Amino acid sequence: KCMAQNITEKIGVMFDREIASCRRWHENEASSSDRSTYLSALKAILYNDVALVHEVLLVSYHNTMNSQIERRLLPKYTACIFGIRRLSVQGVTELQLDTRELERLLLRLPMIGMEGESSESECPVLLQMNVRPNQNKSVRPYNPYKNEVTRQISKIQCLLKTINNTPNTPDRLDDIAIFYKDVFSDKNGKKGHFQDLSRICEIKGLRKHEIQSVITTYNRMVALHEQSKPMIAAQNNKNDDLF
């Protein structure tokens, strides 16, 4: 747990610094094929720090550490991207692509540093080690980890979809609540929390009375006991707009 905490704290500091400022998109700007700088920084940390730990930590403990990293990293990522005060349509689209790439990195996490010669090309830090206890040891895919990553990423994507795929016009505010209800469901069948929906409405630029209307409609359709825990942490200090 301590190793996972140290790695995710390092990633968290980078997220706080990079996510809000890495790109500022305009409404009519075309999507870039390059991913955001924070993803490059994340990959560098994973392919250095995780590769080192995987090489020296008993293989039987790998699944525990990898799961701890995922459980700490994804809530931090969610808090950072939804801490941005305003997102354009293009900005949300880019974040959807970035989130898909994040999923790919996390699904690769258990294999980092554990694939023989290919690991040495991806993780040059391994070449600096004189002793490598886990070199050439095999690692089996851990399905519960993969399923949890996919499930959590899917929930983040649902929040992003609700921003982009719903209207902002006053006469169609109910459509936001309906879409959110239909698209979001956790592993226990619970729907999204109204606090997350409220944050989504803020990001969309709705006024306070419009947000209240959306929340009232949603809470009429989905009782509080049928709602999952909020995914988006409360933000005291909002980041800059992401245009």
Side-chain angles (χ1 to χ4, degrees):
K1 289 185 178 180
C2 290
M3 292 179 182
Q5 182 176 355
N6 289 338
I7 292 171
T8 51
E9 283 181 353
K10 183 176 181 179
I11 294 171
V13 171
M14 181 271 295
F15 276 174
D16 285 334
R17 181 181 66 250
E18 296 287 343
I19 283 183
S21 60
C22 66
R23 290 180 179 183
R24 295 179 184 276
W25 299 290
H26 297 283
E27 291 287 350
N28 59 353
E29 187 173 335
S31 177
S32 170
S33 60
D34 298 327
R35 295 275 55 82
S36 300
T37 55
Y38 68 85
L39 288 175
S40 299
L42 172 62
K43 183 176 181 179
I45 294 172
L46 294 180
Y47 278 73
N48 185 84
D49 296 28
V50 172
L52 284 173
V53 175
H54 276 173
E55 192 58 72
V56 299
L57 183 68
L58 286 173
V59 173
S60 57
Y61 290 110
H62 281 200
N63 289 335
T64 299
M65 189 196 73
N66 295 332
S67 294
Q68 285 291 325
I69 290 175
E70 176 266 325
R71 290 172 186 169
R72 293 170 183 271
L73 189 151
L74 286 180
K76 179 62 178 179
Y77 176 74
T78 305
C80 285
I81 63 175
F82 288 98
I84 301 168
R85 187 170 56 189
R86 192 69 55 81
L87 286 165
S88 69
V89 171
Q90 188 57 47
V92 176
T93 300
E94 292 288 350
L95 278 172
Q96 288 177 300
L97 295 172
D98 284 353
T99 302
R100 194 177 303 161
E101 177 65 14
L102 174 63
E103 179 181 16
R104 190 191 69 80
L105 282 172
L106 288 177
L107 290 176
R108 285 274 302 142
L109 180 65
M111 304 306 298
I112 291 177
M114 300 298 295
E115 294 181 308
E117 293 182 1
S118 63
S119 290
E120 294 177 358
S121 62
E122 291 181 323
C123 314
V125 67
L126 297 179
L127 297 174
Q128 303 173 23
M129 300 178 67
N130 294 323
V131 179
R132 296 171 59 182
N134 293 334
Q135 188 174 17
N136 299 323
K137 288 185 178 179
S138 60
V139 178
R140 294 181 179 179
Y142 185 55
N143 288 330
Y145 169 81
K146 292 166 59 178
N147 294 339
E148 184 63 16
V149 168
T150 300
R151 186 160 45 237
Q152 294 302 323
I153 290 291
S154 176
K155 292 197 293 186
I156 296 172
Q157 292 284 25
C158 287
L159 299 180
L160 292 170
K161 286 178 184 177
T162 305
I163 299 175
N164 255 11
N165 294 5
T166 52
N168 280 16
T169 54
D171 60 329
R172 297 188 62 190
L173 294 178
D174 288 355
D175 289 354
I176 301 174
I178 294 170
F179 183 89
Y180 181 61
K181 177 182 75 69
D182 291 342
V183 77
F184 191 104
S185 181
D186 68 9
K187 63 180 180 180
N188 297 316
K190 290 195 172 186
K191 298 298 183 180
H193 199 277
F194 75 88
Q195 290 180 7
D196 292 344
L197 180 58
S198 178
R199 182 75 196 101
I200 286 170
C201 292
E202 291 175 8
I203 292 172
K204 287 173 67 66
L206 299 186
R207 299 174 181 175
K208 287 185 178 181
H209 71 277
E210 293 174 330
I211 295 173
Q212 187 58 52
S213 175
V214 173
I215 299 305
T216 299
T217 299
Y218 182 74
N219 285 336
R220 277 202 303 262
M221 295 187 296
V222 183
L224 190 58
H225 70 273
E226 298 175 332
Q227 299 178 21
S228 59
K229 293 181 180 179
M231 286 186 61
I232 305 172
Q235 298 288 321
N236 293 325
N237 297 316
K238 299 293 189 298
N239 293 321
D240 292 339
D241 292 6
L242 192 56
F243 294 106

